[in-house]
Amino acid sequence: MTATPYHLMTKPVGPRCNIDCSYCYYTEKEEQYPAERKFRMSEATLDHYVRAHIATTLEAGQAEVHFAWQGGEPTLLGLEYFRRIVELQARHRPDGVRITNSIQTNGTLLDAEWAAFLAAQDFLVGLSVDGPRQKHDHYRRDRAGRPTFDMVMRGLDHLRAAGVEFNILTTVHHANIHRGKELYRFLRDLGSPYLQFIPIVERASGKRMAAPPQIETGPDLPAAPWSVAPKAYGKFLCDIFDIWYRQDVGRVFVQFIETQLALWAGLPSMLCIFAETCGNALALEHNGDVYACDHFVYPPYRIGNIAETPLRDLVWSEKARAFGQDKADSLAAECRKCPFLFACNGGCPKHRFLRSDDGPKNYLCEAYRMFFHHAGPRMRMLAAMHHGRS
């Protein structure tokens, strides 16, 4: 067993959320735990996890221990729960070891007290914003169908007033994909130089989503209506790159672009979806279950539970390794011959549900090819400049 760095997305409130985004793939996970009445990581599980994650991260040779809190909506647990998290981290932290935290939130429950805590404890906050009011509210509504934009902006005001470090996470979907430059300008002006764009790619089924996301579930299953169309997403990426290249090189950091710059410079991918293999970005559910990936929280991909098996034996298990290696092993011959393989590596396995003559193909292949052809010459130039400085 090789102790290598890993990332664990922790879901202490499981799939529970106070809003009901049409495109959310995770709230349906409540059906996976039918006996649950209260999705809340217990004190015992939380304490066990904090101790185990610190020890396992240090065993992997990491100088810093990072905890990533997500949901559902983690702020539903309340501020006292997160104060307890920080107390446990302090209790189990060895001398000289730095612990950091990030939290992904929809921002609707953030107030001045939350912001003061997040600032004092140096939490990095990922705030979900899908664009200006009309674009954001199209799919991001509460359980009564009411829009959430104003609540999110109030939460953002609290973060800015308290000096909390934050970045913006934007899901790209059918409603906001066609005005890429306008969307970029709006998000850039919210006050964070760090932007993430996550394409929504889900398939419709008798239930809300198809599951699990494998080629075997049926290549003819249509994309859900909120999903991006590949050609439109390709144009979106090109538009974002163009405005960034003209105005914001060195000032704004777009995760997709930064990852591609690294790959075009011959460096490893910063994102699992473009890495040659995956399997080191796992998910921890509220009850201690560990899954191979946040997008594969289905019974076949459950690796084990931290109450029954040491965390180190789960994150470095043969099952996790095999899951990650399958990404490379299952590449179609068409992909292996592609001149852009170095920049794509077949994309996320979740999105490989189109059939080619020799295996599964990524739904977003057309989008990525559009981007590589459009931005490639400038990517090569920027990568060469970066290489020359290093």
Side-chain angles (χ1 to χ4, degrees), residues 285-350:
E285 256 292 343
H286 66 291
N287 68 338
D289 284 346
V290 174
Y291 292 85
C293 173
D294 173 53
H295 289 284
F296 286 80
V297 177
Y298 298 101
Y301 302 98
R302 180 182 178 274
I303 296 174
N305 188 286
I306 61 173
E308 302 163 356
T309 307
L311 180 62
R312 66 183 305 278
D313 294 343
L314 298 174
V315 299
W316 299 319
S317 66
E318 174 57 26
K319 189 169 184 178
R321 190 206 66 79
F323 173 85
Q325 185 61 43
D326 184 64
K327 179 183 179 183
D329 293 346
S330 62
L331 268 180
E334 177 183 345
C335 294
R336 297 179 192 275
K337 297 172 185 175
C338 177
F340 299 118
L341 178 61
F342 72 94
C344 172
N345 285 303
C348 180
K350 178 187 179 182

Side-chain angles (χ1 to χ4, degrees), residues 11-247:
K11 298 174 176 289
V13 72
R16 285 284 168 87
C17 191
N18 62 321
I19 67 175
D20 190 25
C21 303
S22 303
Y23 54 68
C24 184
Y25 68 93
Y26 211 81
T27 52
E28 67 178 18
K29 302 303 174 191
E30 289 192 25
E31 299 174 12
Q32 202 157 306
Y33 296 94
E36 287 284 353
R37 294 290 181 268
K38 192 175 183 181
F39 283 83
R40 180 186 181 94
M41 186 175 285
S42 69
E43 171 84 8
T45 301
L46 181 64
D47 183 83
H48 182 108
Y49 166 55
V50 169
R51 284 188 291 106
H53 184 50
I54 291 173
T56 307
T57 301
L58 295 178
E59 185 179 349
Q62 304 279 98
E64 176 179 293
V65 181
H66 182 71
F67 288 83
W69 307 99
Q70 204 166 96
E73 176 49 45
T75 60
L76 281 173
L77 291 167
L79 189 48
E80 290 307 312
Y81 190 95
F82 278 84
R83 289 195 173 112
R84 182 59 176 157
I85 286 173
V86 172
E87 290 173 1
L88 290 172
Q89 291 172 342
R91 176 189 299 175
H92 298 306
R93 178 182 64 85
D95 290 342
V97 171
R98 183 168 185 256
I99 291 179
T100 60
N101 289 276
S102 63
I103 182 171
Q104 183 65 42
T105 175
N106 61 39
T108 59
L109 302 179
L110 297 179
D111 57 17
E113 190 177 10
W114 260 109
F117 167 81
L118 295 167
Q121 299 300 328
D122 292 323
F123 270 62
L124 171 63
V125 176
L127 185 68
S128 295
V129 185
D130 278 5
R133 181 188 307 276
Q134 184 180 6
K135 303 299 182 185
H136 177 92
D137 286 338
H138 191 92
Y139 291 127
R140 299 187 69 83
R141 292 178 172 265
D142 69 13
R143 294 187 175 276
R146 295 170 297 201
T148 62
F149 180 81
D150 288 337
M151 290 187 286
V152 177
M153 291 300 106
R154 281 197 296 270
L156 175 57
D157 287 342
H158 288 300
L159 295 180
R160 288 190 292 220
V164 177
E165 184 181 358
F166 67 94
N167 58 37
I168 301 295
L169 186 150
T170 301
T171 53
V172 184
H173 46 66
H174 180 73
N176 66 3
I177 196 170
H178 298 294
R179 303 292 291 271
K181 292 179 182 179
E182 175 187 312
L183 181 67
Y184 175 88
R185 292 188 188 98
F186 173 82
L187 298 170
R188 177 191 60 190
D189 294 344
L190 291 179
S192 172
Y194 299 99
L195 306 179
Q196 297 180 54
F197 295 100
I198 310 297
I200 294 296
V201 178
E202 301 291 346
R203 288 182 289 167
S205 70
K207 295 184 178 182
R208 188 170 181 177
M209 303 289 181
Q214 291 176 296
I215 185 72
E216 287 78 12
T217 58
D220 299 323
L221 201 60
W226 43 81
S227 294
V228 297
K231 188 173 182 178
Y233 185 57
K235 184 178 186 305
F236 176 89
L237 292 176
C238 294
D239 287 347
I240 294 295
F241 180 81
D242 286 347
I243 188 171
W244 171 85
Y245 184 81
R246 286 197 306 269
Q247 301 179 5

